[in-house]
Amino acid sequence: MFAIQIAFALRRGRSCGSSVFTFVVTEKYPTMSKPALYYATLSPPSRAVLLTAKAIGLDLELRPINLLKGEHLTPEFLKLNPQHTIPTLIDGEATIIDSHAICAYLVEKYGQKEQQLYPKDLVQRANVDARLHLDSGHLFARLRILYEPILYYGSTDCSIDKIAYIQKCWEILEGFLKDQPYLCGSDLTIADFCAVATVTSVNDAAPIDEFKFPKMHAWLKRLAELPYYQEVNGDGADELKSIFKAKLAENRGK
């Protein structure tokens, strides 16, 4: 809802013996607040949303959440998002959860000049959706299998089997990139943002063989050349990998 301010300018004159009234109506729209994003730079899904926002030129109100301190489990945050996940977006009266849904929402609502990021064409959009599901169901899910027990529960299990399970995804990505520069074709999409945020968060523990996966390496280099990439994704990914290594060493030393 917006307030409407009506100003009347009254001019009285004569026309054919009758009075003439001129009404000037102006509408006053309040300044819309920026969408607010609950996020963490350590979180690959958060960084995917930040990459999307940068690509469409959208300024977000950033509200950091410390996952390691459990700030996503407070009663206040659970009321906002019972799934207690980040990123979580607040846009007016709307609350949007899940990074993939948020990225799509932001392009639809605010990225009119960057529609190729989430194309209108039904087939192209279906392909983007499929790669988003690849990220959520395979890439990020396998990162969590390795990282979560070590970061939160004192595990020391960084087994070859878990690493190999992640590296199976590299074969899938290489296949999609075989004849095209991006995961869904010739254009950069939100699927690339979501996938690269995950891949670059775990590629130390699960190395990407340059000779076996040359297309994937070229894709990573291509995305790293984006002017906002390092600040928005690279730094956070490096920090997460450093924390993972330190936590693993700490757990093994107990």
Side-chain angles (χ1 to χ4, degrees):
M1 298 294 292
F2 54 83
I4 299 178
Q5 183 181 65
I6 303 179
F8 295 92
L10 174 61
R11 176 172 60 85
R12 182 165 183 160
R14 298 273 178 190
S15 176
C16 299
S18 61
S19 297
V20 177
F21 298 90
T22 302
F23 296 90
V24 179
V25 181
T26 61
E27 295 182 352
K28 183 179 180 181
Y29 296 84
T31 302
M32 298 299 291
S33 60
K34 294 185 292 187
L37 185 73
Y38 291 88
Y39 81 110
T41 54
L42 295 181
S43 158
S46 292
R47 286 185 263 113
V49 172
L50 294 173
L51 285 168
T52 300
K54 281 289 187 182
I56 64 176
L58 177 64
D59 190 20
L60 297 170
E61 178 189 332
L62 298 178
R63 300 178 181 178
I65 293 288
N66 190 319
L67 294 171
L68 297 178
K69 291 184 178 180
E71 291 179 358
H72 59 304
L73 301 174
T74 63
E76 294 80 10
F77 193 79
L78 288 173
K79 183 177 180 181
L80 188 68
N81 176 1
Q83 196 172 331
H84 55 79
T85 56
I86 59 168
T88 294
L89 182 79
I90 307 299
D91 190 14
E93 296 182 359
T95 300
I96 313 294
I97 63 174
D98 183 88
S99 59
H100 309 89
I102 293 171
C103 289
Y105 172 84
L106 291 180
V107 175
E108 277 286 307
K109 185 171 182 179
Y110 297 104
Q112 291 84 357
K113 296 181 180 179
E114 302 292 343
Q115 287 296 309
Q116 76 281 357
L117 289 170
Y118 194 52
K120 298 286 189 182
D121 178 84
L122 187 60
V123 174
Q124 292 177 353
R125 177 165 290 196
N127 282 326
V128 174
D129 288 339
R131 304 302 177 271
L132 294 177
H133 288 302
L134 172 65
D135 178 54
S136 63
H138 294 267
L139 294 172
F140 188 69
R142 297 181 191 194
L143 176 151
R144 285 189 65 184
I145 289 172
L146 176 64
Y147 273 27
E148 193 169 297
I150 291 169
L151 291 175
Y152 294 101
Y153 304 111
S155 173
T156 59
D157 183 8
C158 188
S159 66
I160 293 176
D161 288 344
K162 284 187 175 182
I163 292 171
Y165 193 47
I166 294 170
Q167 290 173 320
K168 287 182 181 294
C169 292
W170 304 165
E171 298 174 8
I172 298 171
L173 294 178
E174 186 74 11
F176 283 125
L177 294 164
K178 181 180 179 181
D179 299 312
Q180 55 193 30
Y182 299 105
L183 291 177
C184 298
S186 58
D187 290 326
L188 178 70
T189 71
I190 59 173
D192 295 288
F193 290 151
C194 291
V196 78
T198 302
V199 170
T200 55
S201 295
V202 75
N203 59 333
D204 280 1
I208 304 167
D209 189 310
E210 185 175 358
F211 297 100
K212 191 175 181 180
F213 306 113
K215 299 295 184 180
M216 194 175 168
H217 266 269
W219 170 72
L220 289 171
K221 182 179 179 181
R222 195 171 295 119
L223 285 164
E225 291 171 351
L226 294 170
Y228 46 83
Y229 173 87
Q230 186 60 36
E231 176 187 1
V232 175
N233 182 67
D235 292 345
D238 290 342
E239 184 181 5
L240 175 59
K241 289 184 286 191
S242 294
I243 290 174
F244 171 77
K245 291 176 184 177
K247 194 67 177 176
L248 179 60
E250 177 187 329
N251 294 347
R252 286 175 171 172
K254 291 179 180 179

